[in-house]
Amino acid sequence: MNWLKILVGVSALIIAGCAAYFSVTGLGVLFAGASLSVMIMASALELAKLVAATYLKQKWDEIGGFNKWYLTTSVAVLMLITSAGIFGYLSNAFQAQSLQLQQVDREIAVHQTKIDQNTTQITQLSTQITEFNTNQGKILDGGKVNSRLLRSIDNRDKEIGKINNKISILQTENAKETEKINEIKIKNLDLEKEVGGFRFVAEAFGMELKNVVKFFIFLIVIVFDPLAVALIIAFNGLIEDKKKKQREILTE
């Protein structure tokens, strides 16, 4: 039982401390105009919340009606405020990454747009070559070989040569643009690793990256501070059990 009490107490302090840090910092971010004042106020409220939860657990039967329910309501509201602060902290952390991702995506989009435009032109030029060959084949099948036909074939070959040169130039441009995209991706490889897990989940379920991140943040928020308060109450319950046992031993 002593080990259990120690584990519960240490866990409660660690989780409550982490929740307080994220909450205080997050509220400071949300109210950036007076961040220091808000962080001081939030720190005081965090401490008061834990004290109030401890007090309620130990003195529940002795506290008067209004004070009991006011403190209970205050603890519940402070849990919501803490959760909002944690949400703000985590959202701000992702927002910083998101802005960098958006910048990378814009840089890639510029080069990808150029590739798409070149690919469209290549398709059009290839269609022209096909049409030249088709028309020339019809002329050859239906006419006699003469100087006019030979000139037509020669002009066709020249036009096809020019078109092939244009296609070659466009393909070279596409290769350069693709290389630039790869350079951007390699340059931002660390950033991609940071959000790679979320991106994988988003692609697997066909969701937007930001929606997946919000979902995980909500899960963390739902568990974080309520668990801290629950462990604080559990720790106080273990202390009370020990005191009861000691009193029972003394009375025997």
Side-chain angles (χ1 to χ4, degrees), residues 95 99 189-190 242:
Q95 188 65 24
L99 292 174
L189 193 59
D190 291 337
K242 184 178 180 181

Side-chain angles (χ1 to χ4, degrees), residues 90-142:
L90 296 177
S91 298
N92 184 67
F94 174 72
Q95 188 65 24
Q97 290 180 323
S98 180
L99 292 174
Q100 295 179 26
L101 283 174
Q102 291 175 13
Q103 178 63 30
V104 172
D105 290 341
R106 283 194 292 267
E107 292 177 4
I108 292 176
V110 171
H111 300 292
Q112 187 61 51
T113 300
K114 183 64 176 175
I115 291 174
D116 293 339
Q117 291 173 347
N118 289 346
T119 301
T120 301
Q121 291 185 50
I122 290 172
T123 302
Q124 293 172 348
L125 292 171
S126 298
T127 301
Q128 290 182 24
I129 292 176
T130 302
E131 290 175 353
F132 272 128
N133 290 329
T134 301
N135 294 334
Q136 194 64 52
K138 290 179 180 179
I139 294 173
L140 289 172
D141 291 339

Side-chain angles (χ1 to χ4, degrees), residues 173-185:
E173 289 181 0
N174 277 358
K176 291 180 179 178
E177 296 297 328
T178 301
E179 184 178 351
K180 290 178 181 178
I181 289 175
N182 291 332
E183 289 175 356
I184 293 172
K185 290 182 177 180

Side-chain angles (χ1 to χ4, degrees), residues 3-193:
W3 280 108
L4 178 60
K5 182 173 67 176
I6 292 172
L7 288 174
V8 172
V10 171
S11 298
L13 289 175
I14 292 174
I15 295 177
C18 290
Y21 172 78
F22 293 140
S23 174
V24 169
T25 306
L27 289 172
V29 171
L30 291 175
F31 298 95
S35 59
L36 180 60
S37 300
V38 171
M39 290 172 72
I40 293 173
M41 177 189 67
S43 299
L45 290 175
E46 283 294 322
L47 177 61
K49 177 189 67 181
L50 298 179
V51 172
T54 300
Y55 177 68
L56 285 169
K57 174 60 180 174
Q58 294 189 2
K59 303 293 182 179
W60 181 261
D61 295 330
E62 302 175 16
I63 304 174
F66 174 79
N67 200 29
K68 176 190 292 186
W69 297 115
Y70 174 76
L71 286 175
T72 303
T73 303
S74 297
V75 171
V77 172
L78 287 172
M79 287 170 63
L80 292 175
I81 293 173
T82 299
S83 298
I86 295 172
F87 184 86
Y89 179 90
L90 296 177
S91 298
N92 184 67
F94 174 72
Q95 188 65 24
Q97 290 180 323
S98 180
L99 292 174
Q100 295 179 26
L101 283 174
Q102 291 175 13
Q103 178 63 30
V104 172
D105 290 341
R106 283 194 292 267
E107 292 177 4
I108 292 176
V110 171
H111 300 292
Q112 187 61 51
T113 300
K114 183 64 176 175
I115 291 174
D116 293 339
Q117 291 173 347
N118 289 346
T119 301
T120 301
Q121 291 185 50
I122 290 172
T123 302
Q124 293 172 348
L125 292 171
S126 298
T127 301
Q128 290 182 24
I129 292 176
T130 302
E131 290 175 353
F132 272 128
N133 290 329
T134 301
N135 294 334
Q136 194 64 52
K138 290 179 180 179
I139 294 173
L140 289 172
D141 291 339
K144 296 179 180 180
V145 177
N146 52 42
S147 59
R148 182 180 178 184
L149 183 59
L150 292 174
R151 284 197 301 271
S152 176
I153 294 173
D154 185 55
N155 289 333
R156 184 210 66 171
D157 291 339
K158 289 180 180 179
E159 288 297 325
I160 290 176
K162 291 179 181 179
I163 293 174
N164 282 327
N165 287 334
K166 290 181 180 178
I167 291 175
S168 179
I169 291 171
L170 291 172
Q171 289 175 337
T172 302
E173 289 181 0
N174 277 358
K176 291 180 179 178
E177 296 297 328
T178 301
E179 184 178 351
K180 290 178 181 178
I181 289 175
N182 291 332
E183 289 175 356
I184 293 172
K185 290 182 177 180
I186 292 172
K187 181 180 177 182
N188 296 278
L189 193 59
D190 291 337
L191 179 62
E192 185 63 30
K193 288 180 180 178

